[in-house]
Amino acid sequence: RKFLTRFAELLEKNGAHILTLSDTVGSLSPEETFKMFDDVKKELKESTALSAHVHNDRGLATANSLAAIRAGARQAHVTVGGLGERAGNASLEELAIGAEDIARVRTGIRKHLLTPTVKEIARLGNFSLWSRQPIVGKGTMTHDSGIHLAALAGFEPFNPRRVGGKRVLLYGRGVGTRAIELLAASHGLKLTADQLSQIVVSIRKTGKTGRTLTETQALTRIQRYAAAA
């Protein structure tokens, strides 16, 4: 650490105004990262910016980048979707949200473009995104409608629209009358109590086979029962 600090001071003395500290194989913990950036920053001028370059070999790239920011780093290297050598680098979308929500730093990033941007890069690069990919994965925005709809916000850290995503509701064995009623009403359909009961029983029966219905599939079933009345 003494060598690193002395080296940074010499670089600054010879004209460097941005210094990048790198964890090239993801060997540090968030606590160690914070201390490293904090130690070096204390020995530099306020005008000298520290930058973090972190890899994800131990799954800590986002956490370590956030630790660096909390210690005073003014830049962080990121890649879309966490692309990079081996396990990749710090993820743009994870750090964009984490910096604002956890480190309380305003980034200026247009967050509503995160999901479409990551999807476009995946398309161009011909690689698949994990459905549970933090921030932008389809599965992270999907809910079983059996959860009481009024409590959905409690199961989301933020509204999917914030990052350009869309909330997806699935209809299965736990579906209730309120979920069906709301879906029908959103498409201008008013159901009788008997119709509601029949639709709920039908969808729950499907759910018990291990299948869940998408919103479109559930709406098709609603329309079928409504038309038969």
Side-chain angles (χ1 to χ4, degrees):
R1 190 60 52 78
K2 288 181 180 179
F3 171 81
L4 178 63
T5 302
R6 178 60 180 151
F7 187 46
E9 289 175 327
L10 288 172
L11 288 171
E12 182 183 62
K13 184 178 179 181
N14 284 277
H17 56 88
I18 300 175
L19 303 180
T20 299
L21 304 184
S22 302
D23 185 8
T24 310
V25 291
S27 60
L28 298 178
S29 68
E31 293 79 12
E32 291 168 328
T33 300
F34 182 94
K35 180 162 176 46
M36 179 173 73
F37 276 82
D38 188 50
D39 286 349
V40 173
K41 183 174 174 55
K42 287 175 181 176
E43 303 302 325
L44 301 177
K45 298 175 184 175
E46 185 64 32
S47 59
T48 301
L50 286 180
S51 178
H53 180 90
V54 178
H55 279 255
N56 201 39
D57 295 82
R58 291 174 174 79
L60 293 170
T62 298
N64 285 346
S65 295
L66 286 172
I69 291 171
R70 288 179 55 245
R74 284 157 50 189
Q75 293 183 3
H77 296 183
V78 296
T79 59
V80 173
L83 291 171
E85 286 188 59
R86 304 179 310 280
N89 293 68
S91 160
L92 163 67
E93 57 275 17
E94 291 179 23
L95 200 55
I97 297 301
E100 293 197 2
D101 292 358
I102 298 172
R104 305 300 180 190
V105 172
R106 296 184 65 179
T107 66
I109 292 172
R110 290 179 287 175
K111 294 173 289 299
H112 67 284
L113 296 178
L114 288 172
T115 298
T117 297
V118 174
K119 288 183 175 179
E120 179 64 5
I121 294 299
R123 184 188 70 79
L124 292 171
N126 195 31
F127 64 89
S128 299
L129 289 174
W130 182 36
S131 67
R132 301 293 178 181
Q133 186 114 349
I135 311 300
V136 299
K138 185 177 180 180
T140 65
M141 304 175 187
T142 301
H143 302 274
D144 188 318
S145 64
I147 298 171
H148 194 286
L149 295 181
L152 273 182
F155 293 87
E156 291 178 336
F158 50 81
N159 191 308
R161 285 180 294 182
R162 181 185 180 197
V163 294
K166 181 182 178 182
R167 180 183 295 130
V168 176
L169 288 178
L170 297 178
Y171 300 79
R173 64 186 301 171
V175 72
T177 56
R178 182 59 176 159
I180 299 302
E181 192 174 37
L182 286 173
L183 179 57
S186 69
H187 289 80
L189 297 171
K190 190 171 182 179
L191 302 171
T192 65
D194 188 52
Q195 287 172 327
L196 270 173
S197 178
Q198 290 180 36
I199 294 167
V200 168
V201 169
S202 172
I203 293 178
R204 285 180 177 176
K205 186 176 180 180
T206 298
K208 288 178 181 178
T209 68
R211 286 179 55 214
T212 54
L213 303 183
T214 64
E215 186 172 307
T216 300
Q217 292 170 329
L219 180 61
T220 298
R221 190 165 299 192
I222 290 170
Q223 291 170 330
R224 188 167 71 241
Y225 273 87

